[in-house]
Amino acid sequence: MKPDGVAAQAEPSDLDLVRGIKSGDEGAFEQMVQRYHARVYSLSYGVLRNAEDAEEATQDSFLTLYRKIGTFDESKKFFSWFYRVALNQAYSRARRRKPGTAVSIDDFLPKFASDGHIASPELTDWTTSVEDGVIARELAQKAGDFIADLPPAYRDVIWMYDVEEMATADIAETLEISIPALKSRLHRARLYVRQRLSEVSRGPAQAEAR
Amino acid sequence: MTDWTCRQVILDLLGEYEDGTMAAPERADFERHIEMCPPCVRFLTSYRATGKMLKSLKPEEIPSDLAQSVLAFVRARARKP
């Protein structure tokens, strides 16, 4: 018996639904799909930037959820686990579409002279071109490709924070890292994306010497 | 008062400055460097533009029948090994 009317009307928690799915309750699975399909699609779309691929990645993520829910540790936060499942599905699909190897982030960090000054100051401000919607979309597409090239430790942090705009504590929990480690990776990943965007915006002839 | 180099400002301090967790004295030193250093101003501008641009990678709309297509997909495959 429910203790009171409020509890009887309350939405089931994620953990309630997880336990329902584990016990074969189809309704619990349906509710989980209703609750999270938009967020999973959103992150998949960001990685793949194609509606059809994002939909298929979303389907695969929920199939994995359905099949692997038995491996979920109920002492952990469900969505952190599922977010990682979905992110892996999206990146796995992206790799199949465009195989590649992760870049070394150190190759794309800003360079400094021996006295600590910026080695090659940017002569033009490429960010003004972002005011043009078409150019901004092209650059954003490139930024997405650059992120996909990153090692997962950096890729996932910048994706969750800057694209998905997840809370710092949720990201740290999902990735099982400390807040200082998260901030350090985020900053380095942003420096990397900024550097690569600067280089493609100026063209190879004007690219900073690396 | 500390005279930071561009390297320190960009590599070591910028992230902390941007997330608002930098202590007031360091913040003042950081801003003093930025005010005196046009290359760092341009760098900061492009660093912020990068973060802003990344938010546009989110989809503008979710397919209206997505939940149903997910359910149909999973039901069709759930019992296969």
Side-chain angles (χ1 to χ4, degrees):
Chain A
M1 183 191 293
K2 300 286 183 187
D4 55 46
V6 173
Q9 291 173 20
E11 284 284 308
S13 67
D14 285 354
L15 187 55
D16 292 336
L17 295 180
V18 165
R19 288 172 175 163
I21 297 168
K22 283 182 176 177
S23 66
D25 178 357
E26 288 288 328
F29 182 71
E30 277 191 41
Q31 282 183 272
M32 198 66 100
V33 172
Q34 291 294 346
R35 187 170 292 180
Y36 287 123
H37 72 278
R39 287 192 69 184
V40 171
Y41 178 87
S42 176
L43 84 89
S44 304
Y45 182 89
V47 173
L48 296 157
R49 290 178 303 288
N50 170 289
E52 189 179 343
D53 284 345
E55 182 161 349
E56 289 176 6
T58 304
Q59 292 170 336
D60 286 340
S61 295
F62 278 98
L63 182 60
T64 301
L65 160 63
Y66 191 89
R67 286 179 169 162
K68 304 283 187 187
I69 193 68
T71 67
F72 170 64
D73 176 354
E74 293 184 10
S75 68
K76 302 283 177 63
K77 193 171 175 180
F78 166 75
F79 191 67
S80 296
W81 175 81
F82 188 39
Y83 192 99
R84 201 150 43 174
V85 166
L87 204 56
N88 285 337
Q89 283 288 353
Y91 278 114
S92 166
R93 186 170 287 267
R95 275 195 303 276
R96 288 201 298 274
R97 201 176 61 180
K98 182 194 158 196
T101 53
V103 298
S104 167
I105 198 166
D106 290 334
D107 289 343
F108 293 97
L109 294 181
K111 299 290 182 271
F112 300 91
S114 56
D115 63 0
H117 286 97
I118 293 177
S120 302
E122 293 171 12
L123 300 177
T124 56
D125 180 7
W126 62 268
T127 61
T128 54
S129 61
V130 173
E131 301 303 320
D132 180 319
V134 175
I135 295 175
R137 276 193 293 280
E138 284 176 5
L139 283 176
Q141 290 281 344
K142 289 187 191 303
D145 291 342
F146 296 149
I147 291 175
D149 288 342
L150 278 169
Y154 294 95
R155 178 196 71 195
D156 295 346
V157 166
I158 194 170
W159 192 264
M160 292 176 175
Y161 193 91
D162 277 337
V163 181
E164 291 289 314
E165 300 183 77
M166 286 173 65
T168 306
D170 289 343
I171 299 170
E173 182 180 352
T174 300
L175 300 178
E176 298 177 336
I177 58 175
S178 68
I179 300 282
L182 184 162
K183 288 183 174 181
S184 170
R185 290 183 198 179
L186 174 65
H187 181 51
R188 283 167 64 80
R190 283 173 169 173
L191 291 175
Y192 155 88
V193 176
R194 190 216 70 90
Q195 186 75 12
R196 295 203 70 180
L197 285 175
S198 294
E199 292 180 7
V200 297
S201 300
R202 284 169 305 183
Q206 298 175 59
E208 290 173 25
R210 296 206 312 272
Chain B
M1 195 164 69
T2 308
D3 287 326
W4 305 112
T5 64
C6 300
R7 178 199 297 272
Q8 289 170 313
V9 163
I10 289 170
L11 294 186
D12 304 334
L13 303 169
L14 180 53
E16 201 180 336
Y17 178 79
E18 287 293 274
D19 73 19
T21 57
M22 184 177 275
E26 280 188 326
R27 195 169 185 84
D29 289 340
F30 181 98
E31 288 171 349
R32 195 165 47 83
H33 176 102
I34 293 289
E35 284 166 13
M36 304 289 287
C37 183
C40 278
V41 170
R42 285 194 287 273
F43 193 98
L44 183 59
T45 302
S46 58
Y47 183 86
R48 287 174 172 165
T50 299
K52 189 176 170 187
M53 186 184 301
L54 294 180
K55 295 180 188 2
S56 71
L57 288 173
K58 280 184 180 174
E60 291 175 1
E61 59 183 37
I62 308 293
S64 58
D65 61 348
L66 179 62
Q68 288 310 312
S69 84
V70 167
L71 285 168
F73 179 87
V74 174
R75 282 176 183 142
R77 289 160 181 77
R79 285 175 182 78
K80 293 180 183 174

